[in-house]
Amino acid sequence: MEGRIIFRSTNREAPLVGFKEALLKGQAPDYGLYMPLEIPVLTKDEIDSFREIEYPQIAYTVIGRFLEDEIAPSILKKMTQEAYNFEVPVQKIRKDFYLLWLTKGPTASFKDFAARLMARIMHLFAKQDNKKLTVLVATSGDTGGAIANAFHKLENIKVVVLFPECEVTERQRKQMTTLGDNIFPVAINGKFDDCQAIVKRAFNDKELESLGLTSANSINFGRLLPQIVYYFYAFSRLNAEDVVFCVPSGNFGNLMGGVFAMKMGLPVKRFIVAVNENDEFPRFLETGIYRPVVPSRVCSSNAMNVGHPSNLARLFDLYGGWLTDERDANGKVIKSGLVKIKPDMVSLKRDFCAYSITEKEVDETIIRFYRNYGILIEPHGAVGVSASESFNSDAIIVSLETADPAKFPEKIKALLNINPDVPPSIAGLDDAVENFVRMENNYNEFKRFVTEL
Ligand SMILES: *Cc1c(COP(=O)(O)O)cnc(C)c1O
């Protein structure tokens, strides 16, 4: 096994692996999620020294602690410089309340942070091993665009993005369909769950092994690693002893980035877990009983319409619990969200509080925020701002804004009767030429398609 940091599966039945295998496999063969056996810790002096340096160098230092045996320092340094060539504003809203804008990347959502580094690392590994890879990703909106953009034109890698034709916005679709080259978008006549089912079946299909299939969804540890960095960065731009982070959450990948940052030594006083009407986590914290929301509730913060967050298995694991799904002999899920061991509720309640925010509260928050501060936020960020306001404390709070308001023009127009400014990354999309195939929700048709690429 290569590498210093070893990974095990949350389901405890898969062999240990190094980072490279965890990255290229995505999910462990026992359907668990990969967790590092040990989390590197930074000293207070190291964390203080981040005040003097810029984002790419902080990324290099934090990520380097995990990958120092896997990627040469000079290469990692170059990767972080190229990946993080955009601004990461920490905006002071009022005394003790800040917004962290994770929206300035090329597809205007926080998914760019993970996608851009992951693409570079996968590309490096493919080159080193002289291997061809096919990245398969099912998307309900933002992930597909970020992944497609990040992998565009990388040689020896093809990206196949499946999206539900009727469930993505026009701008989200165009972020996937206007690139061409090695990016192959597929519009499925079905729902997001159908896209995900096709992807999962492809991973388990022996006849597709020669394609070098790899996944880029948020169960991949490679997606979490880059998301640790902006928590360190945000803290370094404040003048504070400690901080509370408020994280708008769906699959809890963003939140897990923060939790790893805390375990690495960042003085986080608490996390506010902000969810929309999919309230399985706040209910769990309150009652100790975990019940997925099935089917998930449809809210305007569509990237957070998740009733059973996949990364919750990692959170349970870190707090001594074991969350899994019950499966039949073929691996098909019979019951999702099976708590085999309950996590330490006392520690969980010390480190986290959680709020479910209604659609009405989201609307009111967007309107109020604009009236009070002249600042436009969008539904995901508004879930965070509203949750931050419910949290009673004199701590410094940093709330994360995860998408640019211009991704939700209809909503903003309806609430405020204004058109959000369109960032350059999105502006070019409106008249770009689209190229994608349409497909019925049919596995064999999809299989033929990827085999012939
Ligand atoms: C994906 C996404 C989220 C949710 O992030 P998780 O890591 O799934 O919790 C929130 N906001 C936006 C805009 C997203 O694209």
Side-chain angles (χ1 to χ4, degrees):
M1 208 169 327
E2 297 161 57
R4 200 170 60 99
I5 307 266
I6 305 298
F7 292 82
R8 64 175 175 78
S9 163
T10 52
N11 280 347
R12 304 158 193 216
E13 280 168 5
L16 301 180
V17 297
F19 173 76
K20 189 176 184 171
E21 204 174 333
L23 176 77
L24 296 179
K25 274 214 170 86
Q27 188 167 36
D30 63 359
Y31 304 100
L33 275 64
Y34 282 117
M35 286 290 280
L37 276 180
E38 144 195 21
I39 299 173
V41 175
L42 300 175
T43 65
K44 186 171 180 304
D45 283 350
E46 280 174 304
I47 296 170
D48 283 343
S49 75
F50 290 168
R51 297 185 196 282
E52 314 292 325
I53 59 178
E54 293 306 314
Y55 195 96
Q57 290 157 281
I58 297 176
Y60 164 74
T61 309
V62 171
I63 294 167
R65 294 307 274 271
F66 281 90
L67 302 186
E68 56 200 350
D69 294 344
E70 329 261 342
I71 300 177
S74 60
I75 294 180
L76 185 62
K77 195 164 229 169
K78 188 155 172 273
M79 279 181 181
T80 55
Q81 266 156 7
E82 288 171 1
Y84 304 116
N85 59 355
F86 50 87
E87 273 185 72
V88 189
V90 183
Q91 184 180 24
K92 181 167 185 169
I93 305 298
R94 56 174 181 263
K95 188 175 167 290
D96 298 344
F97 187 65
Y98 294 78
L99 268 190
L100 172 60
W101 291 87
L102 302 173
T103 59
K104 307 293 182 190
T107 69
S109 93
F110 91 98
K111 303 280 196 302
D112 285 323
F113 284 84
R116 285 172 69 76
L117 196 75
M118 192 175 174
R120 284 167 172 81
I121 297 176
M122 279 192 180
H123 185 224
L124 174 76
F125 288 163
K127 229 170 34 190
Q128 279 174 352
D129 296 353
N130 201 9
K131 228 167 108 174
K132 288 196 174 14
L133 294 178
T134 304
V135 176
L136 269 193
V137 52
T139 184
S140 57
D142 288 330
T143 301
I147 294 289
N149 189 288
F151 282 84
H152 186 215
K153 291 190 173 167
L154 295 185
E155 68 265 27
N156 290 332
I157 302 187
K158 291 184 181 124
V159 177
V160 181
V161 195
L162 286 85
F163 62 91
E165 174 140 33
C166 301
E167 287 180 17
V168 302
T169 68
E170 188 177 337
R171 280 184 177 155
Q172 284 174 329
R173 187 186 69 237
K174 286 185 170 170
Q175 287 183 325
M176 302 180 263
T177 58
T178 57
L179 295 163
D181 301 307
N182 61 330
I183 309 298
F184 302 94
V186 180
I188 296 290
N189 183 14
K191 299 178 69 72
F192 169 65
D193 292 339
D194 300 322
C195 299
Q196 204 159 32
I198 291 176
V199 166
K200 283 196 173 145
R201 204 165 149 193
F203 281 122
N204 290 319
D205 190 334
K206 292 266 181 294
E207 289 172 20
L208 295 182
E209 251 168 32
S210 64
L211 297 179
L213 293 185
T214 185
S215 94
N217 57 19
S218 76
I219 56 175
N220 195 315
F221 187 79
R223 283 264 308 262
L224 291 193
L225 190 54
Q227 293 174 182
I228 300 173
V229 177
Y230 42 75
Y231 291 93
F232 279 102
Y233 176 79
F235 179 74
S236 78
R237 307 295 115 157
L238 306 172
N239 193 0
E241 289 297 310
D242 54 21
V243 58
V244 171
F245 282 107
C246 178
V247 189
S249 294
N251 263 319
F252 285 38
N254 196 356
L255 179 75
M256 283 313 293
V259 175
F260 277 107
M262 177 172 72
K263 301 282 175 190
M264 289 180 82
L266 189 68
V268 179
K269 211 167 169 180
R270 231 166 182 206
F271 289 100
I272 304 170
V273 184
V275 297
N276 59 25
E277 295 178 9
N278 292 282
D279 60 353
E280 64 285 342
F281 187 70
R283 276 174 185 279
F284 169 71
L285 262 194
E286 196 179 300
T287 63
I289 299 166
Y290 181 64
R291 243 186 235 122
V293 174
V294 187
S296 58
R297 296 178 187 131
V298 177
C299 303
S300 60
S301 48
N302 59 2
M304 294 168 22
N305 293 338
V306 181
H308 177 37
S310 47
N311 275 291
L312 210 47
R314 285 196 169 103
L315 188 68
F316 269 55
D317 192 89
L318 265 183
Y319 286 81
W322 184 357
L323 177 65
T324 186
D325 297 320
E326 198 176 330
R327 291 171 190 270
D328 69 12
N330 298 319
K332 191 168 181 281
V333 174
I334 312 167
K335 178 178 184 285
S336 54
L338 180 69
V339 179
K340 281 206 185 178
I341 301 175
K342 216 167 145 179
D344 175 357
M345 295 303 289
V346 174
S347 312
L348 268 183
K349 285 184 180 170
R350 179 196 64 210
D351 293 346
F352 302 90
C353 63
Y355 298 97
S356 164
I357 305 300
T358 63
E359 272 309 279
K360 188 160 167 275
E361 289 170 311
V362 166
D363 290 355
E364 286 166 0
T365 304
I366 292 174
I367 293 169
R368 188 160 24 84
F369 215 70
Y370 188 69
R371 298 240 162 98
N372 288 350
Y373 306 110
I375 297 169
L376 258 188
I377 51 175
E378 55 69 64
H380 303 82
V383 169
V385 167
S386 180
S388 300
E389 287 168 351
S390 309
F391 182 73
N392 241 329
S393 152
D394 52 9
I396 292 183
I397 301 178
V398 175
S399 196
L400 279 52
E401 174 54 289
T402 50
D404 192 291
K407 286 191 129 178
F408 302 87
E410 299 84 3
K411 181 79 169 175
I412 304 293
K413 177 93 187 168
L415 292 177
L416 296 165
N417 199 26
I418 53 172
N419 287 311
D421 287 340
V422 179
S425 55
I426 295 181
L429 287 174
D430 286 346
D431 349 279
V433 179
E434 290 190 84
N435 229 318
F436 63 101
V437 299
R438 289 200 171 85
M439 221 176 264
E440 287 307 312
N441 174 21
N442 178 317
Y443 179 70
N444 287 322
E445 193 181 339
F446 175 76
K447 185 170 170 177
R448 207 171 323 116
F449 174 78
V450 282
T451 320
E452 287 169 3
L453 280 183

